[in-house]
């Protein structure tokens, strides 16, 4: 059902608008997930290390296979070998906006700012995903990175 919904949106309104609609859902989901993790950890705000752990944990809980490739003060680079949507994500890159928005929202709400770049995705036909979460605004960010701002 999710694959067909995303496909219909992409076919009817185009990839950009379909991604926008899915982004709205992603923000709402990101808010809920962020609240639940902060509550479970009994903190008002997650640290950078906790944000990384949360991003990995939440994707593992929904059958993703995300892992840290690189982590610095400025960014978190994640790889993924298995999409939570499985093979249904193929040719539905708008579904990747869930990952972008959930990751971006959680990082920005806790660390003040995030920009998420979906560098490579299974949805686009790659064998794996590579997602970079930038933690500082910069003029050098890729044009494909989506910015998120904290409260």
């Amino acid at each position: 059902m999710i694959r067909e919904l995303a496909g219909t949106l992409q076919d009817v309104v185009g990839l950009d608008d379909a991604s926008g609609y899915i982004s709205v859902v992603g923000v709402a989901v990101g808010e809920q997930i962020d609240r639940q993790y902060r509550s479970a950890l009994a903190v008002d705000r997650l640290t950078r290390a906790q944000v990384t752990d949360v991003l990995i944990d939440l994707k593992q809980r929904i059958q993703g296979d995300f892992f840290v490739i690189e982590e610095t003060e400025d960014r978190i680079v994640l790889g993924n070998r298995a999409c939570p949507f499985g093979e249904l994500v193929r040719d539905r890159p708008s579904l990747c906006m869930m990952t972008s928005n959930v990751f971006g929202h959680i990082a920005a709400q806790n660390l003040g700012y995030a920009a998420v770049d979906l560098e490579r995705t299974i949805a686009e036909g790659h064998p794996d995903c590579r997602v970079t979460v930038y933690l500082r605004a910069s003029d050098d960010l890729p044009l494909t990175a989506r910015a998120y701002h904290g409260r």
Side-chain angles (χ1 to χ4, degrees):
M1 187 163 113
I2 291 172
R3 175 180 168 75
E4 293 308 316
L5 176 60
T8 300
L9 277 172
Q10 286 178 202
D11 291 345
V12 173
V13 300
L15 179 58
D16 288 342
D17 285 343
S19 296
Y21 289 125
I22 292 172
S23 292
V24 172
V25 174
V27 168
V29 170
E31 287 175 2
Q32 281 183 315
I33 291 170
D34 181 48
R35 264 194 314 274
Q36 290 171 344
Y37 273 100
R38 285 186 291 108
S39 176
L41 295 169
V43 296
D44 290 331
R45 240 175 209 191
L46 302 172
T47 64
R48 186 186 46 73
Q50 287 172 319
V51 166
T52 301
D53 291 343
V54 163
L55 300 183
I56 298 293
D57 182 66
L58 77 91
K59 286 299 188 174
Q60 287 177 345
R61 288 176 184 263
I62 59 172
Q63 310 308 307
D65 188 16
F66 278 74
F67 56 93
V68 176
I69 294 173
E70 176 188 350
E71 185 175 8
T72 68
E73 290 297 317
D74 295 332
R75 68 184 182 185
I76 304 164
V77 182
L78 302 169
N80 176 40
R81 294 176 284 250
C83 181
F85 292 111
E87 288 301 310
L88 299 176
V89 79
R90 297 268 180 210
D91 301 320
R92 301 296 189 262
S94 61
L95 288 174
C96 299
M97 293 315 301
M98 289 296 292
T99 296
S100 180
N101 281 278
V102 170
F103 281 13
H105 182 81
I106 290 171
Q109 291 308 320
N110 290 284
L111 304 175
Y113 172 85
V116 179
D117 187 22
L118 303 170
E119 297 175 34
R120 185 173 62 230
T121 67
I122 293 168
E124 295 171 325
H126 296 280
D128 59 358
C129 299
R130 183 180 173 104
V131 179
T132 300
V133 181
Y134 294 93
L135 305 174
R136 288 187 171 77
S138 165
D139 292 336
D140 296 332
L141 293 178
L143 294 176
T144 52
R146 295 175 60 95
Y148 301 87
H149 301 275
R151 48 185 170 295

